[in-house]
Amino acid sequence: MMISLDVMPTLLSIAGVNASNLDLDGVDLTQTLQNQTALSPRPLFWASLSNRGGRSEAMREGNWKLVVQHPKAKPGSFEHETIELFHLEDDPAETRNIAKSEPERTANMVNRLKLWYAETQKGATPQPGGW
């Protein structure tokens, strides 16, 4: 799996720029693309802020995808969270939320997502609306 955050380290590498001193979120995909090799499995995390101020985060690990939404939450909080868990091999259209039938996996992924979110906020540029 790849994510858009991988573009910057990959382009820098292709351009011959040594980015080892930069704290980039993505990984260099140069060898993967040139040699057509598989990436090591890794969890992917991302967040979204809607035009109306709603925030959501997601995590993908293998065939599992977790989505956490915060309708009408105070900026930066996890109030009113709704949690969805999907197994993408069995449900590629994400039509069946199985969070309640997978409570341990859901709790583990939610915890890891919140740790990731807290870590990203430490050095994040302030956003309009306070998120």
Side-chain angles (χ1 to χ4, degrees), residues 1-7 10 26-34 36-40 42-46 60:
M1 291 187 301
M2 300 179 218
I3 193 166
S4 60
L5 295 170
D6 298 333
V7 172
T10 303
V27 299
D28 177 7
L29 301 174
T30 305
Q31 294 302 311
T32 301
L33 297 172
Q34 290 178 344
Q36 298 183 12
T37 57
L39 283 172
S40 298
R42 63 181 171 148
L44 300 179
F45 300 89
W46 64 97
R60 169 95 190 257

Side-chain angles (χ1 to χ4, degrees), residues 8-104:
M8 178 61 78
T10 303
L11 291 177
L12 290 172
S13 175
I14 290 170
V17 176
N18 180 356
S20 62
N21 62 329
L22 300 175
D23 188 19
L24 299 174
D25 292 325
V27 299
D28 177 7
L29 301 174
T30 305
Q31 294 302 311
T32 301
L33 297 172
Q34 290 178 344
N35 301 326
Q36 298 183 12
T37 57
L39 283 172
S40 298
R42 63 181 171 148
L44 300 179
F45 300 89
W46 64 97
S48 175
L49 180 62
S50 75
N51 292 334
R52 293 187 286 281
R55 192 184 87 233
S56 61
E57 297 87 30
M59 175 185 178
R60 169 95 190 257
E61 186 168 42
N63 284 316
W64 296 96
K65 181 178 177 186
L66 177 81
V67 179
V68 180
Q69 298 186 46
H70 316 280
K72 300 180 183 176
K74 289 183 212 166
S77 77
F78 280 86
E79 294 177 328
H80 314 295
E81 69 184 9
T82 62
I83 298 171
E84 299 172 300
L85 180 68
F86 304 100
H87 190 269
L88 300 177
E89 184 177 352
D90 299 335
D91 182 19
E94 300 176 21
T95 60
R96 295 182 305 274
N97 179 5
I98 58 173
K100 289 183 180 175
S101 65
E102 292 280 345
E104 288 181 37

